[in-house]
Amino acid sequence: MKTNILSLSFRKVDCPKSPSYLVGELRIDGQTLGDRYVLDVRSLAQALQREGEYFIFTCGCGVPGCIGIVDGVQSRISDGQVTLAGSLPKGGAFSFVLSAAQARKAVADALLAEKDFLDEACRWEEGEFPVFGFSAYSYRSFIDGVGA
């Protein structure tokens, strides 16, 4: 079975009346996945580390059902590979087999590339998230866990 390549980048969104934040952009083999939805980076990171069902894509309000996502992405981990399979209301079904090490490192590297912004965000009010799903503090534990 083909091994796909995960990449993650962030786009900064400046807000005039609130702190700026980062929007995650997920690509598999260079093709954007879920671009009509908000990427929950923390759920993605969890799906790469533990098997289960994860709502990697959601609405901007944080409730996946709000935009018609009723089932999460299924994560299966075996022999150093992660299989992510799911379906999006606008985009259809997908299934990808990823190298666990490559995918985890891609997420950690993307977060590390924004380290200065994330560290600055540590001064924000509690409950504000510089990256959807991650607080300014919790991103560090993921990076440490991957060993990036």
Side-chain angles (χ1 to χ4, degrees):
M1 183 172 257
K2 177 186 177 199
T3 301
N4 303 100
I5 304 295
L6 179 145
S7 61
L8 175 65
S9 60
F10 291 104
R11 177 175 43 88
K12 185 177 177 187
V13 176
D14 291 316
C15 301
K17 295 183 180 179
S18 62
S20 300
Y21 61 94
L22 300 175
V23 174
E25 297 177 342
L26 178 63
R27 290 181 181 74
I28 305 291
D29 296 333
Q31 300 296 311
T32 302
L33 180 65
D35 62 338
R36 296 179 180 162
Y37 305 98
V38 172
L39 176 66
D40 185 327
V41 180
R42 186 176 195 172
S43 289
L44 172 62
Q46 290 172 335
L48 297 174
Q49 294 179 306
R50 290 180 293 284
E51 291 188 345
E53 179 181 28
Y54 297 92
F55 287 90
I56 293 171
F57 299 102
T58 188
C59 176
C61 73
V63 178
C66 181
I67 52 171
I69 298 175
V70 294
D71 296 314
V73 172
Q74 295 297 317
S75 170
R76 300 287 174 252
I77 301 173
S78 177
D79 297 325
Q81 294 185 318
V82 177
T83 301
L84 298 179
S87 180
L88 294 172
K90 297 175 185 173
F94 60 87
S95 181
F96 302 105
V97 177
L98 308 164
S99 159
Q102 181 278 321
R104 291 171 187 154
K105 185 168 179 358
V107 173
D109 287 350
L111 288 167
L112 275 172
E114 300 297 339
K115 182 180 182 308
D116 291 343
F117 177 83
L118 292 167
D119 286 344
E120 174 69 20
C122 286
R123 297 184 306 178
W124 293 1
E125 297 288 323
E126 186 174 332
E128 292 181 337
F129 297 95
V131 177
F132 195 90
F134 270 111
S135 70
Y137 298 101
S138 64
Y139 87 95
R140 292 184 191 127
S141 64
F142 173 74
I143 291 170
D144 291 345
V146 172

